[in-house]
């Protein structure tokens, strides 16, 4: 009898859905007429964001991890993100997966290079093996706006969150 890998199919479906939702949010954030001053400049200028994710106990063979951040600045730049201090050229959205957390690095800092008009961020962690613990924090202009604790101790335990700011 042939074994069907639903685990991988589920992963792909969730990753596709999360990406579609985030890209839909970002593409819907546009400059309205009331966001432009008489000289054509953007009012407000956006905000700087910093996302800090720590995950311990991730097994890349069994567990599922998806951390995604997507945004846009007022100039439609394609290099608005840094991950652990390294600029991510050509990317309006960045992501981490289960392989990101299985090496020696357990904490990642995703931050903007300059103020952005809007942020869509999501995290999904599913434990299919031993316990996964960690934290997920979003700061807007240096102030914590999200501060979550992750503690998945049972097989199939799930931590799924989506956030949007503008």
């Amino acid at each position: 009898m042939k074994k069907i890998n639903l685990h991988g199919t589920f992963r792909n479906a969730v990753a596709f859905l999360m990406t579609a939702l985030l890209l839909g949010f970002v593409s819907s954030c546009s400059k309205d007429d009331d966001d432009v001053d008489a000289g054509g400049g953007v009012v407000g200028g956006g905000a700087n964001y910093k996302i800090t994710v720590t995950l311990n106990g991730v097994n890349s063979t069994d567990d599922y991890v998806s951390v995604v951040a997507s945004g846009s600045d007022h100039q439609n730049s394609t290099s608005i993100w840094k991950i652990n201090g390294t600029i991510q050229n050509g990317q309006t959205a960045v992501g981490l997966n289960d392989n990101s957390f299985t090496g020696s690095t357990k904490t990642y800092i995703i931050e903007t290079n300059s103020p952005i008009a809007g942020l869509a961020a999501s995290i999904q962690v599913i434990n299919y093996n031993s316990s996964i613990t960690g934290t997920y924090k979003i700061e807007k202009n240096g102030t914590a706006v999200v501060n979550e604790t992750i503690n998945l101790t049972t097989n199939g335990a799930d931590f799924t969150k989506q956030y949007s700011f503008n």
Side-chain angles (χ1 to χ4, degrees):
M1 201 177 250
K2 186 176 180 180
K3 183 177 179 182
I4 298 173
N5 184 2
L6 291 178
H7 180 71
T9 303
F10 178 73
R11 281 183 177 196
N12 292 339
V14 170
F16 176 78
L17 178 63
M18 299 286 274
T19 302
L21 288 172
L22 289 174
L23 291 177
F25 167 78
V26 171
S27 65
S28 69
C29 291
S30 63
K31 292 185 271 185
D32 295 332
D33 290 341
D34 59 353
D35 291 338
V36 179
D37 64 21
V42 177
V43 178
N48 286 300
Y49 292 92
K50 179 179 176 181
I51 302 168
T52 306
V53 183
T54 301
L55 292 176
N56 298 297
V58 175
N59 178 319
S60 65
T61 304
D62 298 329
D63 301 325
Y64 176 79
V65 174
S66 176
V67 178
V68 179
S70 181
S72 176
D73 64 10
H74 296 293
Q75 292 78 34
N76 294 321
S77 301
T78 58
S79 298
I80 60 174
W81 297 105
K82 291 187 286 189
I83 297 178
N84 286 356
T86 302
I87 295 174
Q88 306 299 302
N89 290 319
Q91 298 183 45
T92 57
V94 293
L96 304 169
N97 62 26
D98 43 337
N99 291 321
S100 303
F101 295 93
T102 56
S104 60
T105 304
K106 304 296 183 194
T107 299
Y108 286 88
I109 298 172
I110 302 169
E111 58 190 322
T112 55
N113 292 318
S114 59
I116 60 175
L119 168 72
S122 69
I123 180 171
Q124 182 171 40
V125 182
I126 303 173
N127 173 23
Y128 288 110
N129 199 2
S130 58
S131 297
I132 299 174
T133 60
T135 57
Y136 181 78
K137 180 178 181 181
I138 299 176
E139 297 173 57
K140 180 178 181 181
N141 290 329
T143 302
V145 291
V146 172
N147 199 356
E148 301 276 4
T149 300
I150 300 164
N151 189 16
L152 306 175
T153 57
T154 59
N155 189 23
D158 176 25
F159 180 88
T160 302
K161 301 282 182 158
Q162 294 179 8
Y163 302 95
S164 60
F165 302 92
N166 52 15

